[in-house]
């Protein structure tokens, strides 16, 4: 694989903030995706970062540091429907290859 | 909206059978991917293709082959199904030069080999 590491599981309270970290191998790296996957469903695209910095999309933000091989997904104002797995994926342009980490299961409690 | 359609939602096959999983996309995407997803192991890349008749091995190609005769269709073939190939199989597609638009996944095929 491409050594993509993210925590297995996180629990947070409704209305709170949760940050999901992802580290990856930097050689050949071209961009970083985040996907959301509800149980029994296909992953759906959340964000794509290619430059350093923070990209904000409503309650969800994604950050990338290319030099550190590090990204995070920030979920604000958590809602019960945000309970899902969040997948970090590394894109390698040279091989047109998209490789995923193991996913972080987020459980939102009332 | 981009549609990625996988031919079957659930399949049950016997050990040793040849199995075809079909994936069709309707957005003229160059890239297509096949993954399997298993608890605790995440999504693992089996094969991918960036053009008709082109194919590249992913991280776990053993026991699988693929076919891309037309741009919109990418087939995954299990030459001789085994019980360790019981899994959820997910197809995805996207543009080569536009990854910022994301890759779109099909609904998945849950294959059980008995």
């Amino acid at each position: 694989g491409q050594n993509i590491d993210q925590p297995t599981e996180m629990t947070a309270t409704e209305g709170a903030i949760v940050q999901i970290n992802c580290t990856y191998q930097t050689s050949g790296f071209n961009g970083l995706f985040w996907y959301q996957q509800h149980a029994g469903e296909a992953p759906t695209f959340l964000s794509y970062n290619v430059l350093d910095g923070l990209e904000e999309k409503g309650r969800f933000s994604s950050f990338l540091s290319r030099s550190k091989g590090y990204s995070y997904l920030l979920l604000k104002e958590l809602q019960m429907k945000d309970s899902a797995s969040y997948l970090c994926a590394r894109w390698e342009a040279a091989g047109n290859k998209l490789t995923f980490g193991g996913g972080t299961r987020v459980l939102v409690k009332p | 909206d981009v549609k990625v359609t996988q031919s079957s939602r659930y399949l049950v096959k016997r050990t040793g059978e040849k199995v075809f999983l079909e994936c069709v996309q309707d957005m003229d995407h160059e890239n297509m991917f096949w993954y399997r997803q298993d608890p605790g192991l995440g999504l693992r890349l089996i094969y991918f293709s960036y053009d008709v008749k082109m194919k590249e091995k992913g991280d776990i190609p053993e026991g699988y082959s693929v076919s891309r005769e037309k741009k919109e269709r990418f087939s995954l073939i299990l030459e001789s199904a085994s019980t360790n190939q019981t899994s959820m199989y997910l197809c995805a597609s996207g543009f080569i030069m536009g990854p910022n638009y994301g890759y779109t996944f099909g609904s998945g095929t849950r294959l059980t080999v008995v």
Side-chain angles (χ1 to χ4, degrees), chain A residues 7-72:
Chain A
T8 308
E9 198 167 291
M10 301 180 77
T11 302
T13 306
E14 199 174 7
I17 298 173
V18 72
Q19 177 175 315
I20 306 168
N21 296 324
C22 172
T23 58
Y24 58 87
Q25 185 181 337
T26 56
S27 70
F29 171 83
N30 283 100
L32 198 290
F33 287 89
W34 283 98
Y35 279 81
Q36 180 190 60
Q37 186 179 27
H38 285 99
E41 297 181 14
T44 55
F45 170 72
L46 286 178
S47 67
Y48 174 68
N49 292 69
V50 63
L51 300 175
D52 285 354
L54 188 68
E55 298 258 354
E56 297 188 73
K57 276 187 185 180
R59 295 188 298 113
F60 292 3
S61 305
S62 56
F63 171 83
L64 180 69
S65 169
R66 293 180 67 109
S67 61
K68 293 181 180 175
Y70 169 69
S71 173
Y72 68 73

Side-chain angles (χ1 to χ4, degrees), chain B residues 18-81:
Chain B
K18 190 167 186 175
V19 181
F20 292 85
L21 302 183
E22 306 286 348
C23 176
V24 177
Q25 50 95 1
D26 65 358
M27 280 298 290
D28 204 33
H29 285 160
E30 299 97 347
N31 281 348
M32 295 188 78
F33 303 81
W34 273 108
Y35 295 88
R36 61 177 285 177
Q37 187 172 32
D38 301 286
L41 296 175
L43 277 156
R44 292 181 291 166
L45 182 62
I46 305 170
Y47 267 97
F48 61 103
S49 167
Y50 51 87
D51 202 353
V52 175
K53 297 198 188 290
M54 303 301 290
K55 59 184 179 184
E56 295 285 342
K57 291 181 181 178
D59 298 318
I60 51 162
E62 296 78 20
Y64 302 94
S65 62
V66 289
S67 171
R68 193 153 180 213
E69 296 296 319
K70 293 185 178 180
K71 194 173 186 179
E72 67 270 19
R73 186 180 295 269
F74 191 36
S75 303
L76 180 69
I77 304 155
L78 286 66
E79 297 291 340
S80 176

Side-chain angles (χ1 to χ4, degrees), chain B residues 7-24:
Chain B
S7 53
S8 303
R9 192 82 169 97
Y10 298 94
L11 269 181
V12 179
K13 296 291 181 181
R14 294 193 182 278
T15 302
E17 273 193 81
K18 190 167 186 175
V19 181
F20 292 85
L21 302 183
E22 306 286 348
C23 176
V24 177

